[in-house]
C-alpha cells in the first residue's frame, strides 16, 4: 500500500516543517528555524556539498548501489538491500573487489540498520531524502548532484536490470532529481513550496539560499560523455556529437561536468586511481579502450596519483594471457592530456557558460585546460573533491574558480584546509566539501566514544539558530563518534567534529562556501569572450620556413584556424609581428605554440612600428598555450621576439591573440 503524506504534529506556520510526511519515516534530529537571508555584507550563508551522487542507485545497471533516495511506497521500500545481498552479503561483489574482505553484512536495512549505512560501505544508499533534509537543516545551502555512471563497470558487474548506456542513465537520473523535488513539494502543499529546489542559474540559486532552502545544481561525472570513448586511441565521437551532447545536457539543467572520469577517453586522459582500486579501474580501462594506462616522468611539480601494483579480483575479467602492466615509481604522469576533441569540448562549455570540473583529469589535461581559461580569463573551473593536484590551487583561485575538499575525517580535513588557508585569505574565498556519497569512496571513520574533543549532543548549528541532536532512523540511533560519516545526514555532526578538532576558522571558511561557489557560477555566466584584436590582421616576420607542400607565412598565426601555423627559420633571433590597424590599449597576448616553441622570448609593442617597448618577457617558456598579461599599454603593433628556442627547430605559432587591457 502506498504511504502518502500524513498530518504533521509540528506547530502550524513553521515553514520548514512539512504539512505531511510519510509514516513511518526516518527522523531528522534537528529543531529550530533554518536561517534565511544574507549576512551584513550581502553574502549568502551556508555550506556547499560540491560533489554528491543522489541517484547513483539508478546507475551502473541499477544494482550496484542498493536502496533508493525516496519511494512512493515508503521508507521500508526505499531503504532495503539488493536481493543478491541476502542472506549474508556474500555477493556484495563490488565491496570486496575495491576494499578487500568478503563483503559479508546483515542485509536488512529499515528498520534495524545493523550493518548499513556505514562509513566504509560503497554499495548502500547514503542519500535518503530525510538525511539530505538533515544536512540542509544543519546549515547546507548548496548541493551539487553529479549524475554519474560507468558503462564498463555496468557491463562487467554481474547484477543489472537495465541498459549500460551512459547517456540513458544520465537522463534517468536527471528525471529522478526533478521527481524528488516534486515528492518533497507534495509534503509542503504543492509545486515550489518544498526545501529542495533545482536551480539553473546563479540568480535562482541565490534567491533559494536567501529563502533558507537548498539550491540543487546538476552536474555530470561519467567516463564516456556523448559516447566519446576511444578504442586503441581512435575517437568514437565527433565534434557534432559533442555539440549535440552539450546542448542536451544544458537542456536537462546541467551546469557543470567532468570531461573524463576513471578511464582515458576521446577527450582527455585521467588522473589515476591507486592500489587495488587502481588496478581494478585499469582493468576497466583496458576493457573499455583496448589499452592500459601509460605513464611518463612528470615535467613539473604536479603529478598524477601513483597507480601501484596491487592485485585485484577484477584481473579475472581480462582476456587469457593479458596482464596489468607494472609501472615505474618515478613515472607518475599520464601520457595523455587534453585531446583536440577535448579542447573543442572545453570551448563548447565556455560558449554555453558551463563550469568545468577538473578533478579526475590528468595533470597534462588540467594544465592545458587552465591555459585555455587563462587565455580568455574564464572563471568557470571547479575542483570539487580533492582529485586535483594541490599545486594547481592558486591558478584556480586566480581565475575566480572554486575548490572543495573531499569529506575526509576531521583531523585530516583540518590539516588539508590549513595547507591552503593562506590562499583562501589572499583571494578572499570560502571553502567547500565534496562528500561523494553514493560514489566509490570511504567516508570519515568514527574517532571513538572516548576520543578527545568528541561531538557532544545536542549542539547548535553554526548560525546558532537550530539545535542538532542524534538522528534516529527506525531502531538505530546514529552517533558520529561511533558511526562516523555513515550517510549524508551526518554532515552537521561532521562539521561539529571539525569545529571541535580544528577550531572555528575552518568552519567559518566552510560557512562562506555557498557564497564563493555562487560567485564562481555567476562570474561564469557573466563572462564575455575577449575580442581578438589580431585576428585577420596583417602580419610580418623575420623569416618563414619554406615547404613545397604548405605555407608557414606569418598570417597563418592570425587566421583563426588552429590547424595552420607560422614557422620561422631554425635560428634563435627571430620575430613575428602584427599590425592591429589602429592604436588600442593592449594588456594581454596569448601564444599557442606548436612543438617548436620559444624558451626565451619577449612581447614588444609600438604605436609607430619603429620605437618598441618590452611589456613582458620570459626565459623559462615550456610551450603549449602561454598567456602574457601586463599593464595596459597603447599599441598598434605587437611583436613576439624570440631570443632562445626550446627545440632544435625554429619558432612555430599556431595562433597569436591580442586583447584589450
Amino acid at each position: 500500500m502506498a504511504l502518502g503524506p500524513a498530518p504533521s504534529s509540528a506547530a502550524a506556520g513553521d515553514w520548514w516543517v512539512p504539512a505531511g510526511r510519510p509514516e513511518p519515516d526516518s527522523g531528522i534530529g534537528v529543531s529550530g528555524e533554518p536561517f534565511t537571508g544574507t549576512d551584513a555584507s550581502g553574502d549568502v550563508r551556508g555550506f556547499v556539498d560540491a560533489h554528491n551522487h543522489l541517484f547513483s542507485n539508478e546507475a551502473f545497471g541499477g544494482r550496484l548501489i542498493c536502496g533508493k533516495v525516496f519511494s512512493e511506497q515508503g521508507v521500508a521500500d526505499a531503504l532495503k538491500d539488493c536481493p543478491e545481498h541476502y542472506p549474508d552479503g556474500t555477493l556484495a561483489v563490488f565491496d570486496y573487489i575495491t576494499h578487500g574482505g568478503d563483503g559479508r553484512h546483515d542485509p536488512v536495512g529499515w528498520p534495524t540498520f545493523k550493518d548499513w549505512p556505514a562509513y566504509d560501505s560503497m554499495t548502500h544508499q547514503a542519500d535518503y531524502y530525510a538525511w539530505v533534509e538533515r544536512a540542509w537543516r544543519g546549515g547546507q545551502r548548496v548541493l551539487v548532484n553529479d549524475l554519474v555512471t560507468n558503462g564498463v563497470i555496468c557491463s562487467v558487474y554481474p547484477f543489472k536490470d537495465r541498459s549500460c548506456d551512459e547517456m540513458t542513465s544520465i537522463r534517468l537520473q536527471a528525471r529522478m532529481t526533478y521527481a524528488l523535488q516534486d515528492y518533497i513539494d507534495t509534503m509542503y502543499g504543492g509545486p515550489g513550496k518544498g526545501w529542495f529546489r533545482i536551480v539553473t542559474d546563479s540568480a535562482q540559486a541565490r534567491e533559494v539560499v536567501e529563502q533558507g532552502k537548498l539550491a540543487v545544481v546538476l552536474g555530470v561525472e561519467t567516463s564516456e560523455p556523448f559516447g566519446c570513448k576511444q578504442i586503441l586511441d581512435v575517437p568514437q565521437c565527433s565534434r557534432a556529437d559533442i555539440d549535440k551532447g552539450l546542448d542536451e545536457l544544458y537542456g536537462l539543467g546541467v551546469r557543470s561536468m567532468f570531461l573524463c572520469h576513471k578511464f582515458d577517453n576521446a577527450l582527455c586522459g585521467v588522473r589515476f586511481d591507486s592500489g587495488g582500486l587502481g588496478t581494478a579501474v585499469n582493468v576497466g580501462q583496458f576493457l573499455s579502450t583496448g589499452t592500459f594506462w601509460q605513464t611518463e616522468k612528470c615535467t613539473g611539480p604536479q603529478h598524477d596519483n601513483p597507480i601501484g601494483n596491487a592485485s585485484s579480483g577484477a584481473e579475472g575479467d581480462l582476456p587469457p594471457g593479458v596482464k596489468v602492466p607494472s609501472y615505474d615509481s618515478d613515472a607518475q604522469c599520464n601520457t595523455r592530456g587534453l585531446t583536440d576533441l577535448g579542447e573543442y569540448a572545453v570551448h563548447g562549455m565556455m560558449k554555453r557558460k558551463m563550469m568545468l570540473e577538473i578533478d579526475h583529469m590528468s595533470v597534462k589535461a588540467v594544465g592545458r585546460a587552465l591555459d585555455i581559461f587563462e587565455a580568455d580569463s574564464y572563471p568557470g573551473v571547479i575542483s570539487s573533491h580533492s582529485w586535483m593536484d594541490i599545486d594547481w590551487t592558486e591558478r584556480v583561485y586566480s581565475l575566480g574558480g572554486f575548490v572543495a575538499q573531499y569529506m575526509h575525517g576531521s583531523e585530516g580535513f583540518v590539516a588539508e584546509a590549513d595547507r591552503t588557508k593562506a590562499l583562501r585569505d589572499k583571494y578572499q574565498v570560502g571553502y567547500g566539501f565534496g562528500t561523494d556519497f553514493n560514489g566509490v569512496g570511504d567516508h570519515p571513520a568514527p574517532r571513538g566514544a572516548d576520543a578527545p574533543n568528541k561531538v557532544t549532543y545536542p549542539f547548535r548549528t553554526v548560525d546558532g539558530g537550530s539545535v542538532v541532536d542524534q538522528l534516529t532512523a527506525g531502531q538505530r540511533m546514529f552517533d558520529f563518534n561511533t558511526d562516523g560519516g555513515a550517510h549524508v545526514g551526518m554532515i552537521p555532526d561532521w562539521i561539529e567534529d571539525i569545529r571541535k578538532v580544528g577550531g572555528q576558522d575552518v568552519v567559518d571558511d566552510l560557512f562562506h562556501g555557498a557564497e564563493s561557489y555562487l560567485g564562481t557560477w555567476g562570474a561564469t555566466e557573466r563572462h564575455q569572450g575577449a575580442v581578438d584584436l589580431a585576428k585577420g590582421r596583417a602580419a610580418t616576420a623575420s623569416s618563414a620556413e619554406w615547404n613545397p607542400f604548405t605555407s608557414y607565412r606569418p598570417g597563418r598565426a592570425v587566421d583563426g584556424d588552429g590547424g595552420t601555423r607560422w614557422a620561422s627559420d631554425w635560428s634563435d633571433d627571430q620575430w613575428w609581428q602584427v599590425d592591429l590597424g589602429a592604436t588600442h590599449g593592449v594588456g594581454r597576448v596569448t601564444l599557442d605554440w606548436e612543438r617548436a616553441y620559444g624558451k626565451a622570448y619577449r612581447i614588444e609593442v609600438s604605436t609607430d612600428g619603429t620605437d618598441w617597448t618590452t611589456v613582458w618577457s620570459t626565459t623559462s617558456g615550456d610551450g603549449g598555450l602561454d598567456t602574457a598579461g601586463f599593464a595596459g599599454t597603447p599599441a598598434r603593433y605587437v611583436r613576439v621576439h624570440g631570443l632562445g628556442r626550446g627545440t632544435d627547430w625554429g619558432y612555430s605559432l599556431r595562433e597569436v591573440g591580442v586583447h584589450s587591457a
Side-chain angles (χ1 to χ4, degrees):
M1 181 177 64
L3 298 176
S8 171
S9 60
D14 291 346
W15 65 267
W16 61 94
V17 178
R21 186 190 293 278
E23 291 286 355
D25 203 1
S26 171
I28 305 300
V30 182
S31 60
E33 181 176 0
F35 59 87
T36 60
T38 59
D39 65 16
S41 301
D43 294 340
V44 299
R45 299 172 290 166
F47 307 120
V48 52
D49 181 353
H51 193 102
N52 199 329
H53 305 292
L54 292 184
F55 287 99
S56 61
N57 59 291
E58 304 290 355
F60 312 111
R63 298 278 279 275
L64 188 69
I65 308 294
C66 307
K68 305 173 186 176
V69 178
F70 74 102
S71 171
E72 297 287 352
Q73 283 70 50
V75 66
D77 180 66
L79 297 178
K80 62 182 180 182
D81 213 340
C82 293
E84 57 272 9
H85 286 195
Y86 285 84
D88 63 357
T90 303
L91 294 183
V93 179
F94 196 70
D95 266 344
Y96 61 75
I97 283 179
T98 54
H99 271 57
D102 57 14
R104 286 195 170 101
H105 63 274
D106 178 6
V108 177
W110 177 271
T112 57
F113 296 120
K114 179 181 177 183
D115 285 341
W116 67 270
Y119 75 92
D120 56 353
S121 171
M122 302 201 310
T123 62
H124 295 98
Q125 183 59 248
D127 277 322
Y128 184 60
Y129 92 92
W131 303 338
V132 178
E133 181 177 350
R134 177 180 165 90
W136 159 62
R137 293 280 298 273
Q140 185 177 316
R141 291 296 179 267
V142 176
L143 169 64
V144 180
N145 178 30
D146 283 317
L147 316 175
V148 65
T149 193
N150 183 292
V152 172
I153 291 176
C154 174
S155 66
V156 300
Y157 192 66
F159 308 107
K160 60 183 70 72
D161 56 22
R162 64 195 66 182
S163 162
C164 290
D165 180 72
E166 293 194 354
M167 290 305 295
T168 299
S169 179
I170 295 303
R171 296 180 191 110
L172 172 60
Q173 292 175 57
R175 291 197 302 271
M176 292 301 296
T177 310
Y178 285 96
L180 174 59
Q181 178 176 258
D182 293 342
Y183 180 79
I184 294 171
D185 277 353
T186 299
M187 297 183 201
Y188 286 80
K193 295 187 176 181
W195 52 267
F196 185 95
R197 312 305 323 152
I198 300 169
V199 295
T200 55
D201 62 56
S202 64
Q204 276 185 338
R206 286 187 178 277
E207 182 179 354
V208 166
V209 176
E210 287 174 11
Q211 293 171 357
K213 298 182 179 182
L214 181 68
V216 180
V217 186
L218 295 185
V220 165
E221 182 183 41
T222 189
S223 295
E224 298 166 1
F226 335 123
C228 281
K229 68 184 301 179
Q230 55 95 5
I231 300 177
L232 298 175
D233 293 322
V234 177
Q236 305 298 299
C237 68
S238 65
R239 291 188 171 192
D241 294 325
I242 292 169
D243 282 328
K244 181 180 178 182
L246 286 173
D247 286 343
E248 179 183 10
L249 291 179
Y250 194 89
L252 290 174
V254 172
R255 295 297 180 266
S256 68
M257 70 175 295
F258 295 77
L259 290 182
C260 51
H261 176 237
K262 298 302 181 185
F263 306 149
D264 296 342
N265 62 23
L267 306 176
C268 51
V270 294
R271 195 165 194 233
F272 313 125
D273 285 87
S274 300
L277 179 58
T279 301
V281 175
N282 203 7
V283 168
Q285 155 96 8
F286 180 86
L287 297 175
S288 173
T289 68
T291 59
F292 291 106
W293 289 325
Q294 298 180 44
T295 64
E296 62 186 6
K297 291 185 177 180
C298 304
T299 57
Q302 299 85 7
H303 60 82
D304 294 319
N305 295 320
I307 300 172
N309 300 303
S311 61
S312 168
E315 292 170 289
D317 293 318
L318 290 171
V322 177
K323 295 183 178 179
V324 178
S326 58
Y327 296 91
D328 293 336
S329 60
D330 64 345
Q332 291 189 10
C333 280
N334 195 337
T335 60
R336 194 176 187 87
L338 195 64
T339 68
D340 290 342
L341 283 174
E343 293 197 23
Y344 185 80
V346 168
H347 285 289
M349 292 181 68
M350 294 170 69
K351 285 193 335 187
R352 294 164 178 82
K353 308 299 179 67
M354 298 172 73
M355 295 178 285
L356 174 66
E357 294 263 13
I358 58 174
D359 287 3
H360 289 297
M361 295 172 75
S362 68
V363 295
K364 183 179 287 189
V366 171
R368 181 66 177 181
L370 293 178
D371 286 345
I372 292 170
F373 283 179
E374 287 167 346
D376 205 24
S377 299
Y378 190 77
V381 56
I382 303 286
S383 172
S384 61
H385 67 329
S386 298
W387 269 82
M388 171 192 76
D389 188 293
I390 196 170
D391 285 333
W392 294 124
T393 304
E394 184 157 20
R395 287 186 72 181
V396 171
Y397 282 152
S398 66
L399 279 165
F402 181 78
V403 175
Q405 185 189 155
Y406 190 84
M407 188 187 181
H408 297 117
S410 56
E411 292 159 318
F413 189 93
V414 168
E416 187 69 9
D418 287 346
R419 289 178 61 190
T420 53
K421 172 65 174 171
L423 286 175
R424 290 196 299 280
D425 290 345
K426 176 180 177 180
Y427 291 95
Q428 297 183 312
V429 293
Y431 203 31
F433 53 83
T435 63
D436 204 18
F437 278 118
N438 288 354
V440 185
D442 288 343
H443 294 93
R447 291 201 297 125
D450 298 322
N453 299 319
K454 69 176 184 178
V455 174
T456 56
Y457 296 92
F459 60 86
R460 287 200 171 271
T461 52
V462 176
D463 66 294
S466 297
V467 175
V468 181
D469 211 335
Q470 287 179 262
L471 169 66
T472 299
Q475 299 170 16
R476 183 171 170 185
M477 179 178 287
F478 288 88
D479 183 328
F480 189 82
N481 302 298
T482 53
D483 294 309
H487 54 72
V488 71
M490 305 304 287
I491 286 177
D493 315 58
W494 173 69
I495 296 289
E496 175 67 1
D497 200 45
I498 287 175
R499 188 186 70 82
K500 292 274 192 171
V501 168
Q504 190 65 36
D505 282 353
V506 64
V507 175
D508 289 343
D509 280 0
L510 289 170
F511 201 57
H512 193 57
E515 172 61 35
S516 286
Y517 179 89
L518 297 182
T520 293
W521 190 5
T524 302
E525 293 168 325
R526 294 187 298 272
H527 176 263
Q528 297 294 322
V531 175
D532 185 357
L533 301 172
K535 186 175 180 180
R537 293 294 181 179
T540 55
S542 56
S543 64
E545 181 183 337
W546 181 83
N547 186 295
F549 304 106
T550 190
S551 170
Y552 296 124
R553 66 181 184 273
R556 289 297 183 95
V558 286
D559 61 2
D561 183 353
T564 63
R565 60 190 174 94
W566 162 72
S568 76
D569 286 345
W570 295 10
S571 60
D572 281 335
D573 192 8
Q574 301 285 341
W575 54 265
W576 174 97
Q577 74 181 49
V578 61
D579 179 357
L580 303 179
T583 298
H584 297 268
V586 173
R588 183 158 51 93
V589 174
T590 59
L591 308 174
D592 190 359
W593 296 100
E594 194 255 351
R595 286 180 297 172
Y597 65 91
K599 182 176 178 63
Y601 65 93
R602 60 183 180 236
I603 307 296
E604 302 167 340
V605 299
S606 173
T607 56
D608 58 10
T610 301
D611 297 319
W612 294 89
T613 300
T614 298
V615 292
W616 190 90
S617 64
T618 184
T619 58
S620 56
D622 58 359
L625 182 57
D626 287 346
T627 298
F630 44 88
T633 307
R636 172 171 175 169
Y637 302 91
V638 176
R639 183 161 69 186
V640 181
H641 196 153
L643 306 174
R645 293 167 293 155
T647 68
D648 291 336
W649 302 306
Y651 302 93
S652 184
L653 288 162
R654 292 190 176 95
E655 285 293 312
V656 178
V658 178
H659 306 283
S660 297

